[in-house]
Amino acid sequence: MMEEKEISQAVIGRLPRYLRYLGDLKDEGMERVSSQELSERMKVTASQIRQDLNNFGGFGQQGYGYNVEYLYREISRILGLDRTHRFIIIGAGNLGQALGGYLNFERRGFLFSGIFDKNPELTGKEVRGIRVQPMEEMEQFIRDNDVDIAVLAIPKASAVEVAEHLVQNGIKAIWNFAHVDLNVPEGIQVENVHLSDSLMKLSYNINRYLQENRKSAEL
Ligand code: NAI
């Protein structure tokens, strides 16, 4: 097993995309792939690919390329996907139910194990076979079920407080959809997700494209 040096967050951010493409190659029955070929598929330069993958030591071999299965396995391992993570969802509204209902997380080893909401009208409602529980049952549930990730799908007003409570009860990582920055102790991992950020990027790019086209039309 190779030594791992600190890998930049930028590279880590790109690994899931490599994993998706390698998964496709695997499904197609390909045993190996050159950085050139991967580059054409992924529309990134071959040198970027070599640089990224060199972070983990000698995956590639001159004249052979990359062994698809091996690379897939190693990237999965680096991303910690070789073990399962249990997660709970806080907030059983539109978003919480949609996330709970999404089957594909399981494929990556993320097991949806509980969902909680403060609204008593939702108690007992089933989300993919799992009943919504009241918040009062959360503490015990985390303790009994070896949960390490909590998904925050509640409005920002109570997100900070709920996050503190989760951490006090042993949650190690928060996938935060609430539109507020959480204040968590060192060692607790937070990943903020704001779908609208992605939309704003889209909007910016639409504008830029229109402007550039207008400019070239005027020339
Ligand atoms: P929703 O109103 O359908 O659901 C929110 C649920 O949270 C409700 O069932 C409510 O009872 C529950 N809740 C509120 N406070 C709680 C607390 N302290 N403890 C436990 N449960 C609590 O809203 P929706 O559409 O599901 O969105 C949830 C939140 O996520 C919203 O605040 C929204 O702004 C945010 N959101 C963020 C997105 C992102 O990309 N980051 C995308 C969509 C929504």
Side-chain angles (χ1 to χ4, degrees):
M1 193 108 321
M2 73 204 63
E3 278 286 311
E4 256 155 33
K5 54 179 183 188
E6 179 98 49
I7 301 165
S8 81
Q9 287 293 318
V11 176
I12 297 292
R14 289 195 287 270
L15 291 184
R17 187 155 182 265
Y18 284 114
L19 199 65
R20 271 204 312 278
Y21 275 83
L22 289 162
D24 290 346
L25 293 174
K26 234 161 58 102
D27 291 344
E28 288 168 26
M30 275 182 70
E31 276 172 31
R32 59 189 207 186
V33 63
S34 63
S35 47
Q36 194 53 46
E37 183 162 6
L38 203 52
S39 139
E40 278 159 23
R41 287 198 176 219
M42 296 182 65
K43 308 266 187 292
V44 289
T45 63
S47 91
Q48 165 98 77
I49 291 179
R50 281 192 296 268
Q51 233 175 58
D52 281 349
L53 301 182
N54 276 349
N55 273 289
F56 319 113
F59 284 161
Q61 257 170 12
Q62 200 73 43
Y64 173 87
Y66 299 98
N67 180 310
V68 172
E69 179 71 45
Y70 178 74
L71 194 52
Y72 183 88
R73 222 179 321 116
E74 282 302 298
I75 292 182
S76 299
R77 189 182 61 76
I78 287 154
L79 291 174
L81 305 177
D82 53 341
R83 51 162 296 222
T84 55
H85 298 273
R86 289 175 163 274
F87 71 88
I88 54 171
I89 298 174
I90 313 301
N94 290 309
L95 181 63
Q97 290 189 34
L99 291 169
Y102 184 56
L103 275 164
N104 246 5
F105 295 138
E106 246 102 84
R107 239 189 88 208
R108 297 275 183 235
F110 296 97
L111 305 183
F112 169 43
S113 46
I115 180 161
F116 298 84
D117 201 290
K118 70 167 190 188
N119 178 357
E121 280 175 25
L122 290 172
T123 301
K125 185 182 161 74
E126 277 197 17
V127 180
R128 200 144 54 80
I130 293 183
R131 287 180 189 284
V132 176
Q133 292 177 264
M135 291 300 284
E136 294 72 36
E137 291 175 12
M138 190 186 78
E139 272 185 50
Q140 189 69 36
F141 187 92
I142 295 173
R143 235 174 283 137
D144 293 347
N145 290 278
D146 192 25
V147 177
D148 48 11
I149 302 176
V151 180
L152 269 191
I154 56 176
K156 64 177 173 188
S158 49
V160 171
E161 189 191 330
V162 171
E164 271 170 22
H165 194 197
L166 286 163
V167 169
Q168 278 160 12
N169 286 287
I171 288 292
K172 295 284 175 288
I174 297 178
W175 201 24
N176 177 33
F177 286 82
H179 296 299
V180 63
D181 290 331
L182 305 176
N183 191 10
V184 295
E186 168 105 26
I188 302 297
Q189 312 304 324
V190 176
E191 186 63 32
N192 298 306
V193 184
H194 301 297
L195 299 179
S196 50
D197 289 6
S198 181
L199 266 183
M200 287 186 241
K201 219 162 115 191
L202 196 62
S203 139
Y204 168 81
N205 285 329
I206 295 171
N207 278 342
R208 198 180 57 171
Y209 181 81
L210 290 177
Q211 272 164 16
E212 276 170 13
N213 274 17
R214 223 171 281 138
K215 253 186 255 152
S216 49
E218 281 163 12
L219 286 178

